[in-house]
Amino acid sequence: MLIILLGPPGAGKGTQAEFLVQKYGSAYISTGEILRSAVKKGTAMGKQAKQYMDQGQLVPDEVVVGIVQERLLEPDCGQGALLDGFPRTVVQARSLDRVLGEMNSRLDAVVHIAVEEEELIARLTGRRVCRDCGATYHVKFNPPKVRNICDQCGGELSQRDDDSLATVTERLLVYKKQTEPLIEYYQKRNLLYTIDGNQEIGAISTQIITVLDQL
Ligand code: ADP
Ligand code: ADP
Ligand code: ZN
């Protein structure tokens, strides 16, 4: 199965992806995670991407399309994959259609997690991630058992550079302008399933599973 998780920053895509990948054993492709790891390693691509990410802007389409195209060819994607945070523009969506066509593959569903803006700001500014395994927490809504320590691996939690209020505001604007048109793009192709993201994490997971099990 090839599934896209679509939704604004803070909607809960990464949180749901952690759960879905465990349940279905699918390959996980998060362009944000791949870019952050390139930034950490200090590669040429990472250096270029960092300038955009720090401003809350999107990294150029050709860079992310190249990343995803390469990643989809890796053997663990043979049985399908879960795409988180890609595509984010209509250009990226068209490129994905082309790449999948060349691979004789196609999308099964686009799961759109809908959450309103005020809630997104609270979620993003309180988000904490594990430095070691990348697991996601929230200081209030999904706290770890021990303050600042990852339940999964014991690693230290930290705040992402781009989760400051100023950058969050910009990212939400960028989402509205550049990514929201994808809702209509996938609706027209009969691939869109919208889930109310203003529920408990577990309730959202249950609804996503119901959608995926019907495919
Ligand atoms: P995204 O990947 O869409 O940006 P995340 O999964 O990182 O979103 O979630 C953003 C923040 O909101 C995290 O701190 C996460 O723990 C928290 N969160 C995720 N889902 C929910 C939910 N249903 N209710 C409350 N907080 C949530
Ligand atoms: P969030 O989970 O909060 O939505 P991501 O981890 O998906 O954030 O993305 C973090 C940043 O990485 C984005 O603000 C953007 O700069 C860059 N990025 C990630 N995915 C893409 C993409 N598909 N196209 C362009 N830029 C991207
Ligand atoms: Zn961890």
Side-chain angles (χ1 to χ4, degrees):
M1 266 200 310
L2 201 54
I3 308 293
I4 289 174
L5 286 180
L6 179 67
K13 302 181 297 297
T15 301
Q16 296 301 328
E18 274 176 46
F19 172 81
L20 295 169
V21 162
Q22 260 183 19
K23 176 164 168 75
Y24 294 102
S26 36
Y28 176 49
I29 308 181
S30 156
T31 43
E33 228 167 62
I34 295 170
L35 290 167
R36 276 187 294 281
S37 132
V39 169
K40 217 171 164 183
K41 285 188 195 136
T43 65
M45 183 187 75
K47 281 182 187 142
Q48 189 200 359
K50 188 176 188 325
Q51 300 167 9
Y52 295 96
M53 295 166 82
D54 284 349
Q55 306 286 324
Q57 299 298 323
L58 296 182
V59 173
D61 289 328
E62 59 276 16
V63 176
V64 279
V65 168
I67 291 175
V68 172
Q69 183 162 20
E70 216 172 89
R71 182 68 185 85
L72 281 171
L73 290 170
E74 284 177 35
D76 65 320
C77 294
Q79 300 302 315
L82 186 64
L83 284 162
D84 168 4
F86 180 92
R88 258 177 155 93
T89 64
V90 171
V91 170
Q92 292 178 20
R94 291 212 182 99
S95 303
L96 179 63
D97 287 341
R98 174 181 50 77
V99 168
L100 292 178
E102 286 165 6
M103 295 171 67
N104 259 330
S105 180
R106 61 176 181 82
L107 281 172
D108 292 287
V110 177
V111 175
H112 165 222
I113 308 179
V115 178
E116 77 279 350
E117 187 150 326
E118 212 176 303
E119 170 73 8
L120 293 171
I121 293 172
R123 286 190 188 180
L124 289 166
T125 51
R127 172 159 66 183
R128 297 293 181 273
V129 288
C130 175
R131 283 183 199 275
D132 295 333
C133 76
T136 303
Y137 299 87
H138 189 281
V139 289
K140 266 201 221 135
F141 307 147
N142 185 25
K145 293 195 179 81
V146 180
R147 196 172 165 273
N148 254 346
I149 302 291
C150 177
D151 293 348
Q152 315 270 342
C153 78
E156 191 192 345
L157 304 189
S158 68
Q159 185 169 30
R160 268 170 48 176
D161 290 343
D162 60 349
D163 278 345
S164 66
L165 183 58
T167 314
V168 161
T169 310
E170 185 59 29
R171 283 160 64 206
L172 292 173
L173 281 173
V174 166
Y175 175 80
K176 265 208 156 34
K177 239 200 243 155
Q178 305 196 55
T179 310
E180 226 168 45
L182 292 181
I183 294 172
E184 200 189 322
Y185 182 92
Y186 288 119
Q187 212 158 28
K188 279 189 180 151
R189 288 162 177 72
N190 279 326
L191 287 168
L192 193 81
Y193 299 85
T194 297
I195 307 274
D196 175 9
N198 300 293
Q199 313 176 70
E200 298 271 314
I201 292 172
I204 297 169
S205 305
T206 305
Q207 292 196 349
I208 296 178
I209 291 170
T210 305
V211 167
L212 298 186
D213 285 348
Q214 279 170 358
L215 293 176

mmCIF file of all heavy atoms in Angstrom, residues 7-11 13-14 30-33 35-36 49 52-61 64-65 68 84-89 92 124 127 160 162-163 167 171 174, ligand 2:
data_model
loop_
_atom_site.group_PDB
_atom_site.id
_atom_site.type_symbol
_atom_site.label_atom_id
_atom_site.label_comp_id
_atom_site.label_asym_id
_atom_site.label_seq_id
_atom_site.Cartn_x
_atom_site.Cartn_y
_atom_site.Cartn_z
ATOM 1 N N GLY A 7 -1.588 17.072 5.816
ATOM 2 C CA GLY A 7 -2.175 17.891 6.876
ATOM 3 C C GLY A 7 -1.193 18.969 7.272
ATOM 4 O O GLY A 7 0.005 18.869 6.997
ATOM 5 N N PRO A 8 -1.693 20.007 7.951
ATOM 6 C CA PRO A 8 -0.824 21.128 8.331
ATOM 7 C C PRO A 8 0.241 20.686 9.321
ATOM 8 O O PRO A 8 0.106 19.639 9.964
ATOM 9 C CB PRO A 8 -1.797 22.117 8.981
ATOM 10 C CG PRO A 8 -2.959 21.295 9.401
ATOM 11 C CD PRO A 8 -3.068 20.189 8.404
ATOM 12 N N PRO A 9 1.295 21.502 9.478
ATOM 13 C CA PRO A 9 2.289 21.239 10.504
ATOM 14 C C PRO A 9 1.578 21.120 11.859
ATOM 15 O O PRO A 9 0.742 21.964 12.176
ATOM 16 C CB PRO A 9 3.177 22.484 10.487
ATOM 17 C CG PRO A 9 2.934 23.148 9.182
ATOM 18 C CD PRO A 9 1.554 22.765 8.743
ATOM 19 N N GLY A 10 1.868 20.078 12.603
ATOM 20 C CA GLY A 10 1.270 19.910 13.920
ATOM 21 C C GLY A 10 -0.009 19.100 13.934
ATOM 22 O O GLY A 10 -0.580 18.834 14.996
ATOM 23 N N ALA A 11 -0.483 18.668 12.757
ATOM 24 C CA ALA A 11 -1.751 17.930 12.692
ATOM 25 C C ALA A 11 -1.658 16.570 13.389
ATOM 26 O O ALA A 11 -2.672 16.001 13.787
ATOM 27 C CB ALA A 11 -2.180 17.750 11.245
ATOM 28 N N LYS A 13 0.719 14.081 11.969
ATOM 29 C CA LYS A 13 1.147 13.122 10.933
ATOM 30 C C LYS A 13 2.246 12.189 11.468
ATOM 31 O O LYS A 13 2.159 10.975 11.333
ATOM 32 C CB LYS A 13 1.662 13.873 9.689
ATOM 33 C CG LYS A 13 0.631 14.817 9.068
ATOM 34 C CD LYS A 13 1.166 15.526 7.832
ATOM 35 C CE LYS A 13 2.357 16.441 8.074
ATOM 36 N NZ LYS A 13 2.054 17.598 8.974
ATOM 37 N N GLY A 14 3.268 12.779 12.061
ATOM 38 C CA GLY A 14 4.386 11.971 12.580
ATOM 39 C C GLY A 14 3.927 11.029 13.692
ATOM 40 O O GLY A 14 4.339 9.868 13.737
ATOM 41 N N SER A 30 9.632 10.243 5.616
ATOM 42 C CA SER A 30 9.338 11.591 6.075
ATOM 43 C C SER A 30 10.411 12.510 5.488
ATOM 44 O O SER A 30 11.585 12.412 5.850
ATOM 45 C CB SER A 30 9.372 11.650 7.609
ATOM 46 O OG SER A 30 9.647 12.973 8.039
ATOM 47 N N THR A 31 9.996 13.389 4.591
ATOM 48 C CA THR A 31 10.987 14.282 3.977
ATOM 49 C C THR A 31 11.588 15.212 5.031
ATOM 50 O O THR A 31 12.773 15.517 4.987
ATOM 51 C CB THR A 31 10.379 15.093 2.817
ATOM 52 O OG1 THR A 31 9.083 15.557 3.202
ATOM 53 C CG2 THR A 31 10.264 14.256 1.569
ATOM 54 N N GLY A 32 10.762 15.620 6.024
ATOM 55 C CA GLY A 32 11.281 16.483 7.084
ATOM 56 C C GLY A 32 12.406 15.786 7.844
ATOM 57 O O GLY A 32 13.448 16.383 8.119
ATOM 58 N N GLU A 33 12.194 14.511 8.157
ATOM 59 C CA GLU A 33 13.202 13.754 8.906
ATOM 60 C C GLU A 33 14.471 13.557 8.072
ATOM 61 O O GLU A 33 15.585 13.679 8.580
ATOM 62 C CB GLU A 33 12.632 12.392 9.296
ATOM 63 C CG GLU A 33 12.867 12.051 10.743
ATOM 64 C CD GLU A 33 12.029 10.863 11.193
ATOM 65 O OE1 GLU A 33 12.215 9.761 10.645
ATOM 66 O OE2 GLU A 33 11.180 11.059 12.082
ATOM 67 N N LEU A 35 15.526 15.465 5.685
ATOM 68 C CA LEU A 35 16.205 16.765 5.578
ATOM 69 C C LEU A 35 16.930 17.110 6.883
ATOM 70 O O LEU A 35 18.073 17.576 6.857
ATOM 71 C CB LEU A 35 15.204 17.862 5.215
ATOM 72 C CG LEU A 35 14.636 17.807 3.787
ATOM 73 C CD1 LEU A 35 13.429 18.727 3.649
ATOM 74 C CD2 LEU A 35 15.714 18.183 2.771
ATOM 75 N N ARG A 36 16.271 16.869 8.031
ATOM 76 C CA ARG A 36 16.921 17.179 9.316
ATOM 77 C C ARG A 36 18.169 16.336 9.520
ATOM 78 O O ARG A 36 19.172 16.818 10.052
ATOM 79 C CB ARG A 36 15.947 16.984 10.494
ATOM 80 C CG ARG A 36 15.050 18.197 10.737
ATOM 81 C CD ARG A 36 14.231 18.063 11.996
ATOM 82 N NE ARG A 36 13.254 16.997 11.921
ATOM 83 C CZ ARG A 36 12.085 17.080 11.284
ATOM 84 N NH1 ARG A 36 11.725 18.196 10.695
ATOM 85 N NH2 ARG A 36 11.261 16.062 11.260
ATOM 86 N N ALA A 49 19.328 23.111 2.471
ATOM 87 C CA ALA A 49 17.970 22.966 3.012
ATOM 88 C C ALA A 49 17.780 23.783 4.288
ATOM 89 O O ALA A 49 16.714 24.358 4.516
ATOM 90 C CB ALA A 49 17.680 21.492 3.288
ATOM 91 N N TYR A 52 16.239 27.279 4.213
ATOM 92 C CA TYR A 52 14.781 27.334 4.004
ATOM 93 C C TYR A 52 14.051 26.918 5.278
ATOM 94 O O TYR A 52 13.083 27.544 5.692
ATOM 95 C CB TYR A 52 14.376 26.415 2.856
ATOM 96 C CG TYR A 52 14.928 26.836 1.521
ATOM 97 C CD1 TYR A 52 16.094 26.286 1.022
ATOM 98 C CD2 TYR A 52 14.261 27.799 0.758
ATOM 99 C CE1 TYR A 52 16.605 26.676 -0.209
ATOM 100 C CE2 TYR A 52 14.759 28.190 -0.470
ATOM 101 C CZ TYR A 52 15.929 27.631 -0.953
ATOM 102 O OH TYR A 52 16.423 28.024 -2.162
ATOM 103 N N MET A 53 14.511 25.830 5.892
ATOM 104 C CA MET A 53 13.802 25.274 7.055
ATOM 105 C C MET A 53 13.792 26.259 8.221
ATOM 106 O O MET A 53 12.786 26.420 8.904
ATOM 107 C CB MET A 53 14.457 23.952 7.471
ATOM 108 C CG MET A 53 14.292 22.899 6.391
ATOM 109 S SD MET A 53 15.353 21.468 6.619
ATOM 110 C CE MET A 53 14.403 20.525 7.812
ATOM 111 N N ASP A 54 14.906 26.946 8.438
ATOM 112 C CA ASP A 54 14.982 27.916 9.527
ATOM 113 C C ASP A 54 14.015 29.072 9.330
ATOM 114 O O ASP A 54 13.589 29.708 10.288
ATOM 115 C CB ASP A 54 16.412 28.474 9.644
ATOM 116 C CG ASP A 54 17.357 27.476 10.300
ATOM 117 O OD1 ASP A 54 16.862 26.457 10.844
ATOM 118 O OD2 ASP A 54 18.583 27.691 10.270
ATOM 119 N N GLN A 55 13.689 29.364 8.074
ATOM 120 C CA GLN A 55 12.759 30.469 7.777
ATOM 121 C C GLN A 55 11.307 29.987 7.753
ATOM 122 O O GLN A 55 10.405 30.772 7.503
ATOM 123 C CB GLN A 55 13.045 31.056 6.382
ATOM 124 C CG GLN A 55 14.485 31.482 6.146
ATOM 125 C CD GLN A 55 14.804 32.753 6.889
ATOM 126 O OE1 GLN A 55 13.959 33.630 6.998
ATOM 127 N NE2 GLN A 55 16.003 32.840 7.439
ATOM 128 N N GLY A 56 11.095 28.687 7.886
ATOM 129 C CA GLY A 56 9.739 28.154 7.783
ATOM 130 C C GLY A 56 9.268 28.016 6.339
ATOM 131 O O GLY A 56 8.083 27.835 6.077
ATOM 132 N N GLN A 57 10.197 28.120 5.402
ATOM 133 C CA GLN A 57 9.859 28.019 3.972
ATOM 134 C C GLN A 57 10.069 26.584 3.488
ATOM 135 O O GLN A 57 10.780 25.806 4.126
ATOM 136 C CB GLN A 57 10.754 28.951 3.151
ATOM 137 C CG GLN A 57 10.623 30.417 3.504
ATOM 138 C CD GLN A 57 9.224 30.948 3.262
ATOM 139 O OE1 GLN A 57 8.564 30.563 2.301
ATOM 140 N NE2 GLN A 57 8.746 31.801 4.147
ATOM 141 N N LEU A 58 9.490 26.278 2.343
ATOM 142 C CA LEU A 58 9.694 24.951 1.773
ATOM 143 C C LEU A 58 11.040 24.871 1.066
ATOM 144 O O LEU A 58 11.487 25.833 0.441
ATOM 145 C CB LEU A 58 8.577 24.620 0.775
ATOM 146 C CG LEU A 58 7.171 24.518 1.352
ATOM 147 C CD1 LEU A 58 6.176 24.145 0.244
ATOM 148 C CD2 LEU A 58 7.100 23.505 2.493
ATOM 149 N N VAL A 59 11.643 23.717 1.159
ATOM 150 C CA VAL A 59 12.868 23.424 0.418
ATOM 151 C C VAL A 59 12.453 23.261 -1.055
ATOM 152 O O VAL A 59 11.344 22.789 -1.335
ATOM 153 C CB VAL A 59 13.489 22.126 0.998
ATOM 154 C CG1 VAL A 59 14.661 21.646 0.186
ATOM 155 C CG2 VAL A 59 13.883 22.358 2.458
ATOM 156 N N PRO A 60 13.303 23.677 -2.021
ATOM 157 C CA PRO A 60 12.889 23.629 -3.434
ATOM 158 C C PRO A 60 12.392 22.247 -3.872
ATOM 159 O O PRO A 60 12.924 21.221 -3.450
ATOM 160 C CB PRO A 60 14.170 24.003 -4.180
ATOM 161 C CG PRO A 60 14.939 24.843 -3.211
ATOM 162 C CD PRO A 60 14.620 24.300 -1.854
ATOM 163 N N ASP A 61 11.369 22.266 -4.719
ATOM 164 C CA ASP A 61 10.722 21.025 -5.174
ATOM 165 C C ASP A 61 11.711 20.004 -5.711
ATOM 166 O O ASP A 61 11.630 18.823 -5.385
ATOM 167 C CB ASP A 61 9.688 21.347 -6.279
ATOM 168 C CG ASP A 61 8.462 22.071 -5.727
ATOM 169 O OD1 ASP A 61 8.091 21.804 -4.566
ATOM 170 O OD2 ASP A 61 7.888 22.903 -6.455
ATOM 171 N N VAL A 64 13.496 17.949 -2.918
ATOM 172 C CA VAL A 64 12.696 16.928 -2.213
ATOM 173 C C VAL A 64 12.202 15.830 -3.152
ATOM 174 O O VAL A 64 12.149 14.664 -2.775
ATOM 175 C CB VAL A 64 11.499 17.518 -1.428
ATOM 176 C CG1 VAL A 64 11.948 18.054 -0.107
ATOM 177 C CG2 VAL A 64 10.771 18.559 -2.192
ATOM 178 N N VAL A 65 11.883 16.189 -4.390
ATOM 179 C CA VAL A 65 11.445 15.151 -5.341
ATOM 180 C C VAL A 65 12.591 14.157 -5.568
ATOM 181 O O VAL A 65 12.382 12.938 -5.568
ATOM 182 C CB VAL A 65 10.987 15.776 -6.680
ATOM 183 C CG1 VAL A 65 10.803 14.712 -7.756
ATOM 184 C CG2 VAL A 65 9.684 16.548 -6.479
ATOM 185 N N VAL A 68 12.809 11.780 -2.567
ATOM 186 C CA VAL A 68 11.737 10.782 -2.502
ATOM 187 C C VAL A 68 11.895 9.737 -3.605
ATOM 188 O O VAL A 68 11.723 8.538 -3.380
ATOM 189 C CB VAL A 68 10.347 11.470 -2.569
ATOM 190 C CG1 VAL A 68 9.234 10.449 -2.700
ATOM 191 C CG2 VAL A 68 10.134 12.329 -1.335
ATOM 192 N N ASP A 84 5.071 10.906 4.675
ATOM 193 C CA ASP A 84 4.692 11.915 5.677
ATOM 194 C C ASP A 84 5.373 13.234 5.322
ATOM 195 O O ASP A 84 6.591 13.329 5.318
ATOM 196 C CB ASP A 84 5.131 11.398 7.059
ATOM 197 C CG ASP A 84 5.056 12.471 8.148
ATOM 198 O OD1 ASP A 84 4.601 13.592 7.874
ATOM 199 O OD2 ASP A 84 5.472 12.163 9.278
ATOM 200 N N GLY A 85 4.564 14.235 5.000
ATOM 201 C CA GLY A 85 5.142 15.548 4.704
ATOM 202 C C GLY A 85 5.560 15.712 3.253
ATOM 203 O O GLY A 85 6.207 16.691 2.895
ATOM 204 N N PHE A 86 5.183 14.807 2.415
ATOM 205 C CA PHE A 86 5.420 14.879 0.971
ATOM 206 C C PHE A 86 4.244 14.210 0.275
ATOM 207 O O PHE A 86 3.827 13.156 0.726
ATOM 208 C CB PHE A 86 6.714 14.146 0.590
ATOM 209 C CG PHE A 86 7.003 14.200 -0.904
ATOM 210 C CD1 PHE A 86 7.790 15.212 -1.433
ATOM 211 C CD2 PHE A 86 6.447 13.258 -1.759
ATOM 212 C CE1 PHE A 86 8.016 15.272 -2.810
ATOM 213 C CE2 PHE A 86 6.672 13.327 -3.129
ATOM 214 C CZ PHE A 86 7.461 14.327 -3.643
ATOM 215 N N PRO A 87 3.711 14.772 -0.804
ATOM 216 C CA PRO A 87 4.044 16.058 -1.412
ATOM 217 C C PRO A 87 3.488 17.237 -0.612
ATOM 218 O O PRO A 87 2.552 17.094 0.156
ATOM 219 C CB PRO A 87 3.374 15.967 -2.770
ATOM 220 C CG PRO A 87 2.222 15.036 -2.574
ATOM 221 C CD PRO A 87 2.660 14.052 -1.534
ATOM 222 N N ARG A 88 4.078 18.410 -0.849
ATOM 223 C CA ARG A 88 3.654 19.635 -0.173
ATOM 224 C C ARG A 88 3.308 20.745 -1.152
ATOM 225 O O ARG A 88 2.908 21.828 -0.727
ATOM 226 C CB ARG A 88 4.787 20.133 0.721
ATOM 227 C CG ARG A 88 4.642 19.833 2.202
ATOM 228 C CD ARG A 88 5.892 20.347 2.869
ATOM 229 N NE ARG A 88 5.761 20.673 4.245
ATOM 230 C CZ ARG A 88 6.031 19.841 5.261
ATOM 231 N NH1 ARG A 88 6.348 18.598 5.014
ATOM 232 N NH2 ARG A 88 5.960 20.263 6.493
ATOM 233 N N THR A 89 3.476 20.476 -2.431
ATOM 234 C CA THR A 89 3.077 21.449 -3.465
ATOM 235 C C THR A 89 2.473 20.647 -4.616
ATOM 236 O O THR A 89 2.699 19.438 -4.728
ATOM 237 C CB THR A 89 4.295 22.222 -4.031
ATOM 238 O OG1 THR A 89 5.161 21.287 -4.687
ATOM 239 C CG2 THR A 89 5.078 22.954 -2.963
ATOM 240 N N GLN A 92 5.129 19.012 -6.627
ATOM 241 C CA GLN A 92 5.600 17.752 -6.025
ATOM 242 C C GLN A 92 4.604 16.615 -6.262
ATOM 243 O O GLN A 92 4.998 15.484 -6.527
ATOM 244 C CB GLN A 92 5.826 17.921 -4.518
ATOM 245 C CG GLN A 92 6.994 18.829 -4.175
ATOM 246 C CD GLN A 92 7.177 19.012 -2.674
ATOM 247 O OE1 GLN A 92 6.700 18.219 -1.862
ATOM 248 N NE2 GLN A 92 7.891 20.063 -2.301
ATOM 249 N N LEU A 124 2.430 22.677 18.172
ATOM 250 C CA LEU A 124 3.807 22.814 17.661
ATOM 251 C C LEU A 124 4.738 23.444 18.690
ATOM 252 O O LEU A 124 5.884 23.017 18.838
ATOM 253 C CB LEU A 124 3.806 23.639 16.372
ATOM 254 C CG LEU A 124 3.192 22.908 15.169
ATOM 255 C CD1 LEU A 124 2.920 23.888 14.037
ATOM 256 C CD2 LEU A 124 4.111 21.796 14.693
ATOM 257 N N ARG A 127 5.726 20.870 21.247
ATOM 258 C CA ARG A 127 6.260 19.595 20.746
ATOM 259 C C ARG A 127 7.688 19.360 21.247
ATOM 260 O O ARG A 127 8.506 20.279 21.292
ATOM 261 C CB ARG A 127 6.247 19.600 19.212
ATOM 262 C CG ARG A 127 6.970 18.389 18.608
ATOM 263 C CD ARG A 127 6.553 18.109 17.194
ATOM 264 N NE ARG A 127 6.929 19.162 16.257
ATOM 265 C CZ ARG A 127 6.598 19.147 14.965
ATOM 266 N NH1 ARG A 127 5.856 18.161 14.478
ATOM 267 N NH2 ARG A 127 6.969 20.126 14.174
ATOM 268 N N ARG A 160 12.500 21.287 18.409
ATOM 269 C CA ARG A 160 13.023 21.561 17.073
ATOM 270 C C ARG A 160 13.254 23.059 16.897
ATOM 271 O O ARG A 160 12.469 23.866 17.370
ATOM 272 C CB ARG A 160 12.011 21.069 16.025
ATOM 273 C CG ARG A 160 12.284 19.644 15.582
ATOM 274 C CD ARG A 160 11.171 19.079 14.751
ATOM 275 N NE ARG A 160 10.713 19.948 13.667
ATOM 276 C CZ ARG A 160 9.793 19.581 12.787
ATOM 277 N NH1 ARG A 160 9.251 18.387 12.856
ATOM 278 N NH2 ARG A 160 9.422 20.404 11.835
ATOM 279 N N ASP A 162 12.709 24.851 14.409
ATOM 280 C CA ASP A 162 11.639 25.528 13.672
ATOM 281 C C ASP A 162 10.295 25.484 14.411
ATOM 282 O O ASP A 162 9.276 25.848 13.849
ATOM 283 C CB ASP A 162 11.509 24.971 12.235
ATOM 284 C CG ASP A 162 11.199 23.483 12.190
ATOM 285 O OD1 ASP A 162 11.279 22.812 13.242
ATOM 286 O OD2 ASP A 162 10.875 22.988 11.091
ATOM 287 N N ASP A 163 10.278 25.073 15.669
ATOM 288 C CA ASP A 163 9.031 25.089 16.439
ATOM 289 C C ASP A 163 8.895 26.334 17.323
ATOM 290 O O ASP A 163 8.100 26.365 18.261
ATOM 291 C CB ASP A 163 8.893 23.805 17.276
ATOM 292 C CG ASP A 163 8.344 22.636 16.449
ATOM 293 O OD1 ASP A 163 7.822 22.880 15.342
ATOM 294 O OD2 ASP A 163 8.446 21.482 16.906
ATOM 295 N N THR A 167 8.466 31.015 13.638
ATOM 296 C CA THR A 167 8.598 30.120 12.496
ATOM 297 C C THR A 167 7.317 29.314 12.279
ATOM 298 O O THR A 167 6.912 29.059 11.145
ATOM 299 C CB THR A 167 9.803 29.170 12.688
ATOM 300 O OG1 THR A 167 10.906 29.939 13.140
ATOM 301 C CG2 THR A 167 10.182 28.481 11.398
ATOM 302 N N ARG A 171 5.181 28.873 8.889
ATOM 303 C CA ARG A 171 4.918 27.538 8.319
ATOM 304 C C ARG A 171 3.434 27.331 8.067
ATOM 305 O O ARG A 171 3.050 26.681 7.092
ATOM 306 C CB ARG A 171 5.458 26.461 9.259
ATOM 307 C CG ARG A 171 6.982 26.314 9.151
ATOM 308 C CD ARG A 171 7.588 25.646 10.359
ATOM 309 N NE ARG A 171 7.155 24.289 10.553
ATOM 310 C CZ ARG A 171 7.125 23.669 11.740
ATOM 311 N NH1 ARG A 171 7.488 24.318 12.833
ATOM 312 N NH2 ARG A 171 6.742 22.423 11.822
ATOM 313 N N VAL A 174 2.579 29.192 4.907
ATOM 314 C CA VAL A 174 3.114 28.443 3.762
ATOM 315 C C VAL A 174 2.206 27.242 3.461
ATOM 316 O O VAL A 174 1.914 26.939 2.306
ATOM 317 C CB VAL A 174 4.572 27.989 4.049
ATOM 318 C CG1 VAL A 174 5.031 26.937 3.066
ATOM 319 C CG2 VAL A 174 5.512 29.196 4.027
HETATM 320 P P1 ADP B 2 5.994 19.232 10.243
HETATM 321 O O1 ADP B 2 5.954 17.783 10.681
HETATM 322 O O2 ADP B 2 5.957 20.151 11.399
HETATM 323 O O3 ADP B 2 4.991 19.536 9.203
HETATM 324 P P2 ADP B 2 8.287 18.496 8.654
HETATM 325 O O4 ADP B 2 9.209 17.725 9.522
HETATM 326 O O5 ADP B 2 7.417 17.721 7.743
HETATM 327 O O6 ADP B 2 7.415 19.443 9.598
HETATM 328 O O7 ADP B 2 9.084 19.559 7.791
HETATM 329 C C1 ADP B 2 10.001 20.452 8.376
HETATM 330 C C2 ADP B 2 10.534 21.383 7.307
HETATM 331 O O8 ADP B 2 11.255 20.615 6.321
HETATM 332 C C3 ADP B 2 9.497 22.152 6.510
HETATM 333 O O9 ADP B 2 9.116 23.344 7.152
HETATM 334 C C4 ADP B 2 10.247 22.415 5.195
HETATM 335 O O10 ADP B 2 11.177 23.463 5.335
HETATM 336 C C5 ADP B 2 11.036 21.131 5.017
HETATM 337 N N1 ADP B 2 10.264 20.126 4.244
HETATM 338 C C6 ADP B 2 9.827 18.920 4.685
HETATM 339 N N2 ADP B 2 9.161 18.275 3.709
HETATM 340 C C7 ADP B 2 9.170 19.088 2.626
HETATM 341 C C8 ADP B 2 8.632 19.008 1.300
HETATM 342 N N3 ADP B 2 7.918 17.940 0.889
HETATM 343 N N4 ADP B 2 8.857 20.051 0.462
HETATM 344 C C9 ADP B 2 9.555 21.120 0.840
HETATM 345 N N5 ADP B 2 10.079 21.278 2.062
HETATM 346 C C10 ADP B 2 9.889 20.269 2.959
#
